[in-house]
Amino acid sequence: MKPLPLLAALAALALAGGAAAADVASPGGSGTNPTLGRTALVELAKGGQPLCGGWRPKDDSCEDIGFMEVLADGQVRQTYRFKLSDEYEIAMRQTVKFEGDALCAVFRWDDIDLVVLREGSRAPMSEALPLTIMLQSSLEQFNGKNICETYQRDIVTGEITTTVTVDGERDPSLDADYRVLEHGDTIHLRGPDAGPELEPLDV
């Protein structure tokens, strides 16, 4: 599981204790495809197409879904949703700004809008609060750090790969891949995977 851009990458890595990194590393590496500049990123955001993280071909499902919106002041609002379990879903939103061709933000929990959903509706506070505290605790290591994300687009498949730095230092464990969905595509958001799929044994 890796959000939309940035937020989901951080949350997934923290909640999984780093084990999710292998699931999202770019197969081709971050240097094999051209980086999207500011103009291209603005066009991508204005297109309003959902970004499907961790796309799985066999059931056309996503580990997380992200959206980008360009605000009047030129900043970008990122929103993403992912499942903590079959019952609970998290929706998170933050605003980032351009620094060159990267989207950056100093990570502060107070700047994050978070909603806990249970079966599609806002969860009661008694249920949402413990999950919020757990998530906040898992992300504490990033508090106050400047996190930047650059985007590369595969010229063949059109898929997006992100490259992340934390206080200027590259952190490959936070890199992620996204499939750009078309408007009207049905979104299948799946819960956390129990583990890698195993091929059936020949008997």
Side-chain angles (χ1 to χ4, degrees):
M1 170 178 61
K2 287 295 193 257
L4 172 129
L6 211 47
L7 275 180
L10 295 180
L13 180 72
L15 291 174
D23 296 334
V24 298
S26 172
S30 62
T32 59
N33 296 309
T35 296
L36 297 178
R38 179 169 181 162
T39 299
L41 277 177
V42 167
E43 290 177 354
L44 177 65
K46 286 184 175 179
Q49 292 172 274
L51 301 180
C52 167
W55 178 66
R56 190 166 65 184
K58 75 166 190 174
D59 56 4
D60 199 23
S61 67
C62 309
E63 289 180 337
D64 54 80
I65 292 289
F67 301 87
M68 292 193 289
E69 175 189 359
V70 181
L71 304 178
D73 60 4
Q75 297 187 99
V76 176
R77 179 183 293 148
Q78 297 181 323
T79 305
Y80 81 97
R81 295 170 68 154
F82 69 94
K83 286 188 173 184
L84 279 179
S85 66
D86 289 340
E87 186 177 12
Y88 291 104
E89 185 177 322
I90 299 292
M92 298 178 74
R93 175 181 293 166
Q94 77 167 3
T95 300
V96 297
K97 63 181 180 179
F98 281 101
E99 292 185 12
D101 290 334
L103 288 173
C104 302
V106 174
F107 185 83
R108 295 188 182 93
W109 187 255
D110 289 345
D111 295 334
I112 306 299
D113 294 325
L114 183 144
V115 175
V116 178
L117 303 171
R118 185 182 69 180
E119 298 177 348
S121 299
R122 187 183 289 264
M125 181 62 69
S126 60
E127 298 176 16
L129 186 58
L131 295 174
T132 301
I133 292 173
M134 178 190 69
L135 189 58
Q136 182 177 2
S137 176
S138 71
L139 294 172
E140 183 60 32
Q141 60 182 305
F142 301 108
N143 189 47
K145 297 184 182 296
N146 189 50
I147 302 173
C148 293
E149 192 172 42
T150 56
Y151 292 68
Q152 298 81 38
R153 191 158 200 170
D154 191 295
I155 58 176
V156 177
T157 66
E159 293 188 358
I160 300 290
T161 298
T162 63
T163 301
V164 178
T165 61
V166 179
D167 280 346
E169 296 293 326
R170 171 78 188 282
D171 190 339
S173 68
L174 296 177
D175 294 352
D177 294 333
Y178 298 95
R179 182 180 181 87
V180 182
L181 303 181
E182 298 296 329
H183 292 293
D185 282 355
T186 300
I187 295 174
H188 303 285
L189 191 61
R190 69 180 184 271
D193 293 329
E197 268 189 77
L198 299 178
E199 294 294 329
L201 296 175
D202 293 328
V203 292

